[in-house]
Amino acid sequence: MAVNISKKKPLTINKRSKACNATKSKQKPNLQKKVIDGKSVLITAREAKKRVA
């Protein structure tokens, strides 16, 4: 089981139609399963990119 070490949460947005109707929507963070120090963890793609570089 991968442990989630990222503190990011879904971003809540309103989608707007041409008639300006608001529909609630969520943008979830891009979580990736990576192995760090022999442990399987869930981190965002941005964090994984920073660790590799």
Side-chain angles (χ1 to χ4, degrees):
M1 181 78 192
V3 178
N4 189 355
I5 62 170
S6 180
K7 302 294 181 196
K8 297 217 174 211
K9 293 188 168 133
L11 182 69
T12 306
I13 61 170
N14 280 328
K15 288 191 173 186
R16 295 284 178 168
S17 67
K18 191 172 181 180
C20 206
N21 297 333
T23 304
K24 293 275 186 185
S25 179
K26 285 187 180 180
Q27 291 178 344
K28 296 180 183 176
N30 186 6
L31 294 177
Q32 305 286 322
K33 188 187 287 189
K34 298 288 180 181
V35 177
I36 299 175
D37 297 330
K39 294 181 182 178
S40 182
V41 295
L42 285 173
I43 58 176
T44 61
R46 182 179 288 182
E47 292 169 348
K49 189 175 179 182
K50 285 181 183 179
R51 289 182 187 261
V52 172

